[in-house]
Amino acid sequence: INWLIKLACIPHDENVQPARGVIVPNKGDLADPYGIETYLSCMLISAPTDSDIQHLQVEGEEIRIDELVPVYKAEWQYAEANGYPALQEKLTAAQVQEVIDFQRPAVVEKPVDDGQLKPVGTVSNSEKVRQQFEKEYGPIALQLTDLTVESDPLIQISGNIIYPTKKYPYYVVFTLGVSNNIPPNVTHNEAYEMMMKLPLDWVASEEEWTLPEKNWPLRMMAEFGYYVHKNLLKYYGNTTFPVEGKTKEILFEYTKMTHLLARGPSESFVSTIVNEEFLVILHQLIPIYESEMDYAEGIYGVDLIHCLEKQHAEHIFVQNRPPSV
């Protein structure tokens, strides 16, 4: 909102009315609006996708409504070389104007120093996961960072939240970054990301995601993912295991559970994702009690899943459930 207000002041301050199709660079305090880290350095002034609000009549005067679309410098250069309609066609095809994504890939090739063009480089494992999740579940609504106590420049993990939809009536929360910077010769070309599914009533407003008692699943997954990445551990699907350190501390504080069940998500299209030579495996984490861990004996997670089905806890997290065994 603050970004929009600052941009809306420009025509008044500079006594200009930019035409649609014009791309203007962000400058001054607009270059890094509200602390959002993005390489989207320009703004495209475009017509709203909803034709009903492109022009409004107010007291006999016509008010033109402009939609502001953040674009990359490479896209700006493409529009200058090929015309605004050519860029608009690519943006429309990629559905860029539907929901603004500050981490989206460019729709055109990126320039290099000699002025030539080259294809966009290979995407990271986490970017491939993001694309697959957003394709199926919907756009990421919120992304939380700085979730782990320890920090390592090679292990940058974010917690991501996708809001419920009619098709998937629950919050999908997952990590991005656990699968990056993995030495393939050590992990046999496998990498991991973590996910959970939270009930519809988990939060009453977007602001509640800032509360520790609401964002702890993301912090717990990030801590566990950090531990897995740092120690290059291997985990199989449908297995149970105890957790340690900060992961256990967060889990026990809010659930009184001290163990986890790692299972594949029921949606097969996100259970494993191939990126170049890597196989990224998604572990859906389900907190469990010690008695449930003992029942499963570590490797018989499928039997425990059948017990959790009786509590409707085999997919969507149930925070205050009693032990199923």
Side-chain angles (χ1 to χ4, degrees):
I1 297 297
N2 289 347
W3 195 12
L4 284 173
I5 292 172
K6 291 174 182 177
L7 285 165
C9 287
I10 291 177
H12 291 276
D13 295 342
E14 301 185 6
N15 196 26
V16 295
Q17 179 59 58
R20 283 178 177 166
V22 170
I23 298 177
V24 294
N26 297 336
K27 58 184 179 179
D29 56 0
L30 294 176
D32 187 23
Y34 219 66
I36 297 174
E37 296 179 3
T38 171
Y39 292 101
L40 294 162
S41 57
C42 312
M43 295 295 295
L44 166 66
I45 300 174
S46 180
T49 53
D50 187 344
S51 60
D52 293 338
I53 62 169
Q54 291 187 8
H55 292 86
L56 300 177
Q57 294 291 331
V58 178
E59 296 181 353
E61 293 188 11
E62 184 178 82
I63 307 297
R64 192 186 83 189
I65 308 297
D66 290 331
E67 183 168 352
L68 302 174
V69 183
V71 296
Y72 290 96
K73 183 178 180 180
E75 294 168 337
W76 182 13
Q77 294 171 336
Y78 179 87
E80 287 187 326
N82 300 277
Y84 159 73
L87 174 62
Q88 184 65 59
E89 183 178 345
K90 288 183 175 292
L91 294 173
T92 301
Q95 296 183 318
V96 168
Q97 285 184 251
E98 295 301 320
V99 177
I100 299 301
D101 178 2
F102 290 101
Q103 295 182 324
R104 68 174 177 84
V107 299
V108 300
E109 296 173 317
K110 292 183 177 179
V112 293
D113 292 339
D114 59 5
Q116 300 299 315
L117 294 177
K118 68 175 184 179
V120 176
T122 303
V123 299
S124 64
N125 290 334
S126 63
E127 173 63 16
K128 194 75 173 181
V129 172
R130 184 190 71 82
Q131 293 174 2
Q132 192 68 19
F133 265 65
E134 291 197 310
K135 179 180 179 181
E136 183 58 35
Y137 292 121
I140 293 173
L142 291 172
Q143 183 177 79
L144 305 182
T145 56
D146 300 321
L147 296 172
T148 57
V149 174
E150 292 186 27
S151 61
D152 186 322
L154 294 179
I155 313 177
Q156 299 292 320
I157 301 173
S158 65
N160 303 270
I161 303 164
I162 296 178
Y163 279 5
T165 62
K166 185 176 181 180
K167 185 177 182 181
Y168 300 111
Y170 43 77
Y171 291 95
V172 176
V173 296
F174 61 104
T175 62
L176 287 177
V178 180
S179 60
N180 290 341
N181 302 314
I182 298 290
N185 57 324
V186 177
T187 61
H188 304 289
N189 299 85
E190 287 188 357
Y192 306 109
E193 295 288 355
M194 316 300 164
M195 70 175 293
M196 291 179 69
K197 298 173 181 177
L198 304 179
L200 273 171
D201 59 355
W202 186 259
V203 294
S205 66
E206 185 172 297
E207 289 73 19
E208 287 195 0
W209 287 109
T210 63
L211 302 176
E213 64 269 24
K214 296 299 182 180
N215 63 34
W216 70 261
L218 294 111
R219 291 187 286 119
M220 186 269 293
M221 289 191 298
E223 290 286 0
F224 179 65
Y226 186 93
Y227 175 76
V228 170
H229 188 297
K230 187 174 183 179
N231 296 280
L232 298 176
L233 300 178
K234 183 178 181 66
Y235 282 92
Y236 296 95
N238 294 328
T239 58
T240 57
F241 46 87
V243 290
E244 303 174 353
K246 192 63 178 179
T247 306
K248 180 178 180 179
E249 180 182 324
I250 296 172
L251 185 59
F252 186 74
E253 179 180 358
Y254 296 100
T255 69
K256 306 305 178 186
M257 304 180 198
T258 55
H259 298 66
L260 289 173
L261 164 66
R263 64 165 300 173
S266 54
E267 298 82 18
S268 59
F269 46 80
V270 297
S271 58
T272 56
I273 297 172
V274 178
N275 184 35
E276 298 295 331
E277 76 272 20
F278 270 97
L279 179 68
V280 183
I281 300 172
L282 270 294
H283 283 314
Q284 181 175 341
L285 302 181
I286 300 177
I288 58 175
Y289 292 94
E290 185 173 1
S291 62
E292 295 170 330
M293 168 75 178
D294 294 339
Y295 174 82
E297 296 181 353
I299 60 173
Y300 299 106
V302 173
D303 293 337
L304 177 57
I305 290 174
H306 294 323
C307 297
L308 294 174
E309 288 175 351
K310 300 175 182 178
Q311 297 180 331
H312 304 287
E314 76 279 15
H315 290 297
I316 302 174
F317 174 60
V318 180
Q319 185 166 7
N320 296 316
R321 68 177 180 85
S324 62
V325 293

